[in-house]
C-alpha cells in the first residue's frame, strides 16, 4: 500500500511539473490568398502551466467584412480537435481533456485592406504529455475566397 501511495504522489508531482514548449509556424498561403503573415512575435513563458502570448502581423489586400476559419489540432498524429469560427472578433478554445486553453483576437470587421494584427493568449496544462502537436488554420473571406493559411508546430517536453 505504501508503494502504491508513493507511486501516486510521484505521478501527481510529475504531472504538475512544468515542461518546455517550443513553437514554430509556417505561412502556407499561396499567391492567390488575400492575406500574408509577415511576422509572429512571442512573449511570456514557453513552458506548460504558464501563459504564453503570440502576436501575428501581416497584410490583407482587400476589405474583409466576414468569413469563416477552420482549425484542426493533431497530437502525435491523432486529430483531437476540429473547429470553425468567424474570422472576425474573438474566440475562446478549451482543448480536450483539460490540456489547456486559448483566447484569440481576430480581425476587427469590417477590416480595411492593409496591415492586420491577430493575437493569441494560451496556457497549456502541466498535465499535457510530452508530445508534438500540429495546428492547421485555413480562413476564407466573405466571398469564400482564400484569405490565409498557417501551420503551427508545437513540441512539449
Amino acid at each position: 500500500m505504501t508503494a502504491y501511495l508513493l507511486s501516486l504522489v510521484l505521478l501527481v508531482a510529475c504531472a504538475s511539473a512544468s515542461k518546455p514548449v517550443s513553437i514554430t509556424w509556417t505561412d502556407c498561403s499561396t499567391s492567390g490568398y488575400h492575406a500574408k503573415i509577415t511576422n509572429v512575435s512571442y512573449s511570456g513563458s514557453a513552458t506548460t502551466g504558464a501563459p504564453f502570448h503570440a502576436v501575428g502581423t501581416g497584410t490583407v489586400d482587400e476589405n474583409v467584412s466576414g468569413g469563416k476559419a477552420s482549425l484542426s489540432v493533431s497530437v502525435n498524429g491523432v486529430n483531437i480537435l476540429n473547429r470553425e469560427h468567424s474570422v472576425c472578433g474573438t474566440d475562446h478554445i478549451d482543448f480536450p481533456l483539460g490540456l489547456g486553453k486559448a483566447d484569440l483576437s481576430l480581425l476587427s470587421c469590417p477590416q480595411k485592406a492593409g496591415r492586420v494584427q491577430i493575437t493569441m493568449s494560451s496556457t497549456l496544462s502541466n498535465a499535457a504529455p510530452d508530445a508534438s502537436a500540429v495546428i492547421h488554420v485555413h480562413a476564407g473571406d466573405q466571398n469564400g475566397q482564400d484569405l490565409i493559411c498557417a501551420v503551427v508546430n508545437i513540441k512539449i517536453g
Side-chain angles (χ1 to χ4, degrees):
M1 181 68 151
T2 303
Y4 173 76
L5 288 175
L6 180 58
S7 297
L8 186 58
V9 168
L10 288 174
L11 179 64
V12 170
C14 289
S16 64
S18 65
K19 301 173 194 168
V21 176
S22 65
I23 299 175
T24 59
W25 65 276
T26 305
D27 182 336
C28 50
S29 305
T30 61
S31 62
Y33 281 66
H34 289 285
K36 185 73 176 163
I37 300 169
T38 56
N39 186 53
V40 177
S41 60
Y42 306 101
S43 65
S45 178
T47 61
T48 59
F52 181 81
H53 311 283
V55 177
T57 55
T59 58
V60 62
D61 68 2
E62 67 173 355
N63 293 337
V64 179
S65 60
K68 296 268 184 217
S70 62
L71 170 106
S72 65
V73 179
S74 62
V75 176
N76 293 339
V78 177
N79 187 284
I80 64 164
L81 179 68
N82 289 307
R83 184 180 178 101
E84 276 198 8
H85 54 86
S86 172
V87 297
C88 306
T90 60
D91 196 16
H92 175 82
I93 300 169
D94 287 314
F95 297 123
L97 305 173
L99 294 178
K101 63 181 180 176
D103 290 298
L104 307 170
S105 292
L106 307 167
L107 298 180
S108 297
C109 295
Q111 176 73 53
K112 295 209 179 287
R115 186 177 180 278
V116 294
Q117 178 174 294
I118 296 173
T119 63
M120 178 197 74
S121 295
S122 181
T123 303
L124 295 174
S125 169
N126 284 336
D130 290 355
S132 294
V134 178
I135 301 171
H136 187 270
V137 179
H138 177 269
D141 66 11
Q142 64 275 359
N143 301 313
Q145 295 181 347
D146 290 327
L147 190 58
I148 199 153
C149 178
V151 176
V152 180
N153 292 289
I154 300 171
K155 175 93 171 135
I156 302 170

